[in-house]
């Protein structure tokens, strides 16, 4: 993408180099069109750019439909103060095996690949390259580019479009374990603003358990279930100060301005010693959030009005 150094442009960091799935996700961010796109080497650098003001936002992979949560991104969200998710974007994932000209599949003993991509292709790799050694790479594109810079690896896992950018040959196509694989990316900023509710929203937060005892997680999650709030993702991550201490990265359906979601978050805040709100934002699939009518906003408002009336001494004809 052409880049302009004009001072009035915003900067968005993404895991590069050009041609990565992260760049494809950034291309979906409407406000990033025509702005400066800054290629970085890893997720930590992307988050650091935002936290330090080098970039106005960063697009990072947060979850994959095959391999689950991206731990580096989840840990950074949990531990970097002030980060907020402003939007999510879905990118279909497909992979090929590529190599230098003249290489055949039976010659591949060292395979370069990003760890997430490698995990998504595990079945194919174990079947066709049973004796290989995996060499981790910082990105899918870098895995392929490294083939032209060194002979450490014989082949690489790369996006299907990689041969448009590099002089490499395709040894195998569509090697992903699931043809419906999708990676979920998020746009992260330091903005305090919250996107307006759309009716098709998601809220993300991180919560720690108050104690390590039986039923502690269940007690926390009941704050959601008793308010009719659906949880779409939960991922445990070690806090790191001692064994047995975990934080939970959680996605729920709905927006913080929805009464049921706000009430659930307040319940979790009362329960947990630390809750980090990561943002409420439109769902990438635009699927409307469905919930029982008992948890509609009007029900909460009516209940508060009823209680307020009791406290102020108003008649209560319905008992």
């Amino acid at each position: 993408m052409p880049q302009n150094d004009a001072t009035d442009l915003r900067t968005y960091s993404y895991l590069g180099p050009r041609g990565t799935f992260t760049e494809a996700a950034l291309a979906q961010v409407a406000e990033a069109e025509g702005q400066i796109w800054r290629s970085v080497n890893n997720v930590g650098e992307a988050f650091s750019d935002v936290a330090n003001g080098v970039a106005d936002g960063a697009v990072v992979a947060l979850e994959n439909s095959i391999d689950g949560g991206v731990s580096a991104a989840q840990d950074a969200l949990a531990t970097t103060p002030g980060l907020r998710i402003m939007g999510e974007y879905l990118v279909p994932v497909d992979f090929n095996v590529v190599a230098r000209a003249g290489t055949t599949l039976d010659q591949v003993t060292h395979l370069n690949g990003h760890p997430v991509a490698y995990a998504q292709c595990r079945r194919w790799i174990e079947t066709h390259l049973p004796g290989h050694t995996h060499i981790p790479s910082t990105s899918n594109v870098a895995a392929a580019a490294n083939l032209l810079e060194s002979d450490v690896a014989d082949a690489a896992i790369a996006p299907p479009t990689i041969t448009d950018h590099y002089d490499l040959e395709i040894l195998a196509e569509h090697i992903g374990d699931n043809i419906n694989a999708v990676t979920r990316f998020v746009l992260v900023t330091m903005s305090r603003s919250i996107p307006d509710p759309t009716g098709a929203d998601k809220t993300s937060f991180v919560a720690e358990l108050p104690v390590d005892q039986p039923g502690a997680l269940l007690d926390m999650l009941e704050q959601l279930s008793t308010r009719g709030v659906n949880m779409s993702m939960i991922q445990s991550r070690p806090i790191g100060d001692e064994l047995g201490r975990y934080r939970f990265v959680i996605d729920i359906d709905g927006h913080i301005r929805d009464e049921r979601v706000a009430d659930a978050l307040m319940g979790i805040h009362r329960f947990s010693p630390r809750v980090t709100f990561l943002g409420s934002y439109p769902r990438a699939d635009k699927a409307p959030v469905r919930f029982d009518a008992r948890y509609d906003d009007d029900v909460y408002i009516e209940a508060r009005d009823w209680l307020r009336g009791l406290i102020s001494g108003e008649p209560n004809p319905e008992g």
Side-chain angles (χ1 to χ4, degrees):
M1 168 179 182
Q3 296 188 356
N4 190 322
D5 292 328
T7 57
D8 60 341
L9 294 183
R10 296 183 300 276
T11 298
Y12 293 87
S13 295
Y14 73 99
L15 180 62
R18 293 285 307 275
T20 61
F21 292 118
T22 310
E23 186 188 47
L26 180 55
Q28 298 181 37
V29 180
E31 56 265 41
E33 183 177 356
Q35 305 301 308
I36 299 171
W37 292 13
R38 171 178 160 82
S39 172
V40 298
N41 295 318
N42 54 65
V43 170
E45 186 179 355
F47 281 114
S48 178
D49 279 358
V50 177
N52 295 327
V54 175
D56 299 275
V59 170
V60 296
L62 191 62
E63 181 186 9
N64 179 266
S65 60
I66 304 300
D67 199 43
V70 180
S71 59
Q74 292 178 340
D75 289 345
L77 280 171
T79 58
T80 306
L83 294 178
R84 288 281 178 85
I85 299 174
M86 303 299 289
E88 69 170 6
Y89 309 88
L90 303 179
V91 177
V93 175
D94 189 16
F95 297 103
N96 291 346
V97 174
V98 297
R100 293 178 290 271
T103 303
T104 59
L105 193 61
D106 59 1
Q107 294 174 327
V108 175
T109 58
H110 292 78
L111 181 66
N112 204 349
H114 188 276
V116 175
Y118 182 81
Q120 294 175 49
C121 304
R122 187 176 291 113
R123 287 202 299 268
W124 187 95
I125 294 169
E126 290 175 351
T127 299
H128 296 85
L129 300 172
H132 77 284
T133 298
H134 173 219
I135 302 175
S137 180
T138 56
S139 77
N140 297 309
V141 173
N146 288 342
L147 294 176
L148 301 177
E149 298 170 0
S150 75
D151 59 358
V152 174
D154 305 304
I157 305 169
T161 57
I162 196 66
T163 50
D164 296 338
H165 305 281
Y166 297 92
D167 185 20
L168 297 167
E169 292 185 356
I170 297 174
L171 302 186
E173 296 181 292
H174 313 303
I175 68 168
D177 294 340
N178 190 326
I179 61 173
N180 298 315
V182 173
T183 295
R184 172 189 169 212
F185 293 83
V186 292
L187 170 64
V188 177
T189 76
M190 295 291 285
S191 173
R192 298 297 88 194
S193 65
I194 299 175
D196 292 333
T198 66
D201 303 294
K202 185 178 291 185
T203 293
S204 300
F205 64 94
V206 181
E208 296 179 8
L209 294 181
V211 290
D212 182 17
Q213 66 181 32
L217 178 58
L218 176 60
D219 289 342
M220 184 175 74
L221 297 183
E222 282 181 342
Q223 302 296 321
L224 302 175
S225 62
T226 57
R227 293 165 176 85
V229 176
N230 182 58
M231 181 176 63
S232 56
M233 185 196 77
I234 181 169
Q235 192 89 20
S236 64
R237 297 296 305 152
I239 294 174
D241 53 359
E242 61 181 89
L243 286 173
R245 289 255 295 145
Y246 287 86
R247 62 172 63 94
F248 294 87
V249 183
I250 298 173
D251 290 340
I252 56 178
D253 292 345
H255 195 281
I256 193 172
R257 293 197 181 104
D258 296 335
E259 294 281 349
R260 67 190 183 281
V261 173
D263 200 45
L265 289 176
M266 287 191 292
I268 289 176
H269 184 267
R270 290 192 299 268
F271 173 87
S272 173
R274 183 175 180 181
V275 178
T276 303
F277 174 70
L278 298 179
S280 289
Y281 46 91
R283 293 170 59 102
D285 59 11
K286 298 181 172 57
V289 175
R290 302 186 183 279
F291 57 92
D292 193 296
R294 293 176 298 165
Y295 304 105
D296 188 79
D297 283 0
D298 290 341
V299 175
Y300 279 89
I301 294 170
E302 190 278 331
R304 279 202 301 270
D305 290 342
W306 171 78
L307 181 61
R308 206 172 288 121
L310 291 179
I311 294 172
S312 64
E314 294 179 5
N316 181 29
E318 297 181 2

